Every structure is written in structure tokens, then in C-alpha cells.
Amino acid sequence: MSKSQKNRGLGRGLSALMADVAVEEPTKDASSEPRRADMMVPIEKISPNPEQPRRTFTQEQLDDLAASIKEKGVIQPLIVRPKPQSDDEYEIVAGERRWRASQMAKLHQVPVVIREYNDTEALEVAIIENIQRADLNAIEEAAGYRDLMDRFGHTQEKVSEALGKSRSYIANLLRLLNLPGDVQAFVRDGKLSAGHARTLVTAENPSALAREIISKGLSVRAAEKLAKGPSLSKPRQTNPKSEKDADTKALESDLSAATGMKVQIDHKAGGEAGTVTIRYQSLDQLDDICGKLSS
């Protein structure tokens, strides 16, 4: 993607795109009435988006949705766009799970809403739909927010306003992406909750602590105490560092949320000097912070 594409955002705006994304399982609230379809399209005339960020579809969930579709039909239309160089074929922008389940339910056609999205817009809508999934884990949700910010130049404020989430909620989730890959995998696999993972963001040895939390079945409160104090996984230090004050910790959290990377501040007590350490996990993150510092 070119730099101009990444930074321009979308002409329709994030909130407008949010209104376009149909939820798969609407609530009973009257404000969540299913969107009216533009037309019915033969199911074989529709193909998935090869750039769809969601790659896994659990068989159990597909079976449940297929059973619901057999009984009630497709409640929310798929969002599609005309397929290039074809007059009567369409590419899925949002709703691939409904399309797959409709095939299992042996439907011959499905309702669609047609939008003239370009490639960048189609990807953004797909990411928005993924974020709205009820079965999303904290790491997947955080990755969706990070994609919206990094790929399309949206700020935390814009994302929070459009999605109806508080800025602190999004910032706290983004901090989970600073954790090592094995700890993130524990969250994705359901071995660690998001609450457990948050206690490890500023820990010196998050991987070892995560394994200790899992093996002992610790509560979030117990995990917080483990991350703050000596543990079986962390040797005792003969000269432990003095506890950081609340203002320094808050500043570390703010900088971590702003950069998307773990930031550590070491200020010499009674002096004016200190160090700021930014930890990156990939060359892409290094390029990103270099770009921010040089802009």
C-alpha cells in the first residue's frame, strides 16, 4: 500500500463505514432491524475477498449459523462490491461466514447490499466487521484496532468515537500487542484472560510469569501481585530498584499506548536526568517509531 493510501483515510469516513457493516446476529432491540437488501444474487456468482483478514472459520460456529439460516434465512444481507471485469459477479466485502453457512444450508441465492468500494475501503470494512465479532479474543480485537490505525491513519480518538468504545479501553487493548508472541498465543487460545495479560505488560519476564499463572490457575488479582513482587520464576535481586511513582507509571502507560510499543522510564531520584527505553518486536515497529520521531 502506498504512503498516500495509508495516510489519506477514507472519503466516506470511519463512522459512515461503520453504518455500512451489518452485524451477523442482530439484537432484539428495534434499532437493530436487518438492513434491506439491494437484490438477491445467485450464491455461485459471489466469491470471497482474497484479502479478507479473517482466515479461520470454526466448523461448530458454521454449523450453528447454517442451522439458523435453514430456519430463518439470511437475516442480514452480505455487503459486496462488483467484481472487476465482470458484469454479474460480486466479491464479498463483509459476510463471508454467512456466505459459507448459506452454502451449507443449500441456499441458491442470498441477499446482498452492493457498494462501490475500492480495495482499500473494502479491506477497512472487512477489518471493522471482524472487530464486531462476538467471539473475538482480546489479541484479535487489539490487532483490528492497530490495523485501522496503522493502515488507514485513524487515531485512537476516531476509532473510539466510531466504535463506541472508550479511548482507555482501546489503549489498554493495544498494550497487549507489546507482549511476547507466546503470551499473546496464550490469550488467543483462551489460556490467559485479557485481565491476566494486562498485568504482564510491564513485567520484566512476562513469558515465565504467564506460564506460572496458567500452571497455578491464579486469579487476576493474584497475577497482579505476582507481576509486582518476587516470584518463583524471577530470582530475588539483592538490590531491588526503588518503586516508581504513580506519575512515572502513568507516563509510561501513555507513551506505550501512543507508540504501540513498551516504553520504560528510568528517572534518577533527586536529579533531572534519566532514560527512556522503547522496546520493539519487529523491524516494522522500528521503522514506525523512526518515522514518528523524524516527522
Side-chain angles (χ1 to χ4, degrees), residues 147-211:
D147 276 345
L148 287 176
M149 295 167 64
D150 288 351
R151 294 192 187 206
F152 309 106
H154 296 307
T155 63
Q156 285 188 24
E157 288 81 4
K158 288 292 184 184
V159 173
S160 66
E161 289 173 8
L163 298 176
K165 306 283 188 181
S166 70
R167 185 181 179 278
S168 61
Y169 173 85
I170 292 176
N172 283 331
L173 274 184
L174 290 173
R175 294 174 66 204
L176 299 183
L177 299 180
N178 297 327
L179 290 167
D182 59 339
V183 180
Q184 293 187 33
F186 291 147
V187 178
R188 283 194 295 267
D189 296 340
K191 296 179 181 179
L192 278 180
S193 72
H196 286 105
R198 279 195 292 271
T199 68
L200 302 175
V201 172
T202 58
E204 293 182 4
N205 51 352
S207 295
L209 291 176
R211 290 182 175 85

Side-chain angles (χ1 to χ4, degrees), residues 35-73:
R35 183 187 307 279
R36 179 174 297 177
D38 290 340
M39 60 187 296
M40 300 292 291
V41 174
I43 205 163
E44 68 272 11
K45 296 289 187 181
I46 300 173
S47 59
N49 179 358
E51 300 299 325
Q52 160 67 255
R54 185 181 187 182
R55 298 298 182 186
T56 57
F57 299 85
T58 63
Q59 191 60 47
E60 182 179 359
Q61 291 175 338
L62 286 175
D63 289 341
D64 289 344
L65 184 55
S68 174
I69 288 174
K70 283 182 180 179
E71 180 181 354
K72 302 176 182 177

Side-chain angles (χ1 to χ4, degrees), residues 13-256:
L14 186 57
S15 296
L17 288 175
M18 277 291 301
D20 262 352
V21 179
V23 292
E24 295 186 0
E25 296 175 359
T27 65
K28 294 179 181 179
D29 185 77
S31 63
S32 300
E33 293 181 0
R35 183 187 307 279
R36 179 174 297 177
D38 290 340
M39 60 187 296
M40 300 292 291
V41 174
I43 205 163
E44 68 272 11
K45 296 289 187 181
I46 300 173
S47 59
N49 179 358
E51 300 299 325
Q52 160 67 255
R54 185 181 187 182
R55 298 298 182 186
T56 57
F57 299 85
T58 63
Q59 191 60 47
E60 182 179 359
Q61 291 175 338
L62 286 175
D63 289 341
D64 289 344
L65 184 55
S68 174
I69 288 174
K70 283 182 180 179
E71 180 181 354
K72 302 176 182 177
V74 179
I75 297 176
Q76 290 285 359
L78 285 67
I79 300 178
V80 301
R81 62 173 180 163
K83 201 169 184 179
Q85 300 177 341
S86 177
D87 293 333
D88 61 350
E89 294 187 6
Y90 300 89
E91 183 180 272
I92 298 172
V93 175
E96 183 173 342
R97 191 166 78 106
R98 275 163 280 166
W99 175 73
R100 288 173 179 264
S102 296
Q103 289 179 308
M104 294 169 59
K106 302 187 184 305
L107 296 190
H108 297 294
Q109 55 184 5
V110 291
V112 302
V113 172
I114 302 171
R115 292 289 183 266
E116 296 287 343
Y117 290 140
N118 60 35
D119 291 344
T120 305
E121 293 166 340
L123 178 59
E124 184 166 13
V125 171
I127 292 172
I128 292 170
E129 187 197 33
N130 282 340
I131 291 174
Q132 291 182 323
R133 285 163 43 201
D135 62 335
L136 212 62
N137 63 60
I139 296 298
E140 291 172 328
E141 186 177 357
Y145 296 141
R146 174 56 61 197
D147 276 345
L148 287 176
M149 295 167 64
D150 288 351
R151 294 192 187 206
F152 309 106
H154 296 307
T155 63
Q156 285 188 24
E157 288 81 4
K158 288 292 184 184
V159 173
S160 66
E161 289 173 8
L163 298 176
K165 306 283 188 181
S166 70
R167 185 181 179 278
S168 61
Y169 173 85
I170 292 176
N172 283 331
L173 274 184
L174 290 173
R175 294 174 66 204
L176 299 183
L177 299 180
N178 297 327
L179 290 167
D182 59 339
V183 180
Q184 293 187 33
F186 291 147
V187 178
R188 283 194 295 267
D189 296 340
K191 296 179 181 179
L192 278 180
S193 72
H196 286 105
R198 279 195 292 271
T199 68
L200 302 175
V201 172
T202 58
E204 293 182 4
N205 51 352
S207 295
L209 291 176
R211 290 182 175 85
E212 189 170 341
I213 291 169
I214 294 170
S215 65
K216 294 182 177 180
L218 299 180
S219 66
V220 173
R221 178 166 295 183
E224 289 176 349
K225 293 180 180 179
L226 181 66
K228 290 179 180 178
S231 75
L232 296 177
S233 302
K234 181 170 64 176
R236 289 181 179 269
Q237 298 178 350
T238 55
N239 294 311
K241 295 180 180 179
S242 60
E243 184 73 13
K244 292 181 181 178
D245 60 76
D247 289 338
T248 301
K249 289 182 178 180
L251 186 55
E252 284 181 335
S253 296
D254 288 343
L255 290 175
S256 295

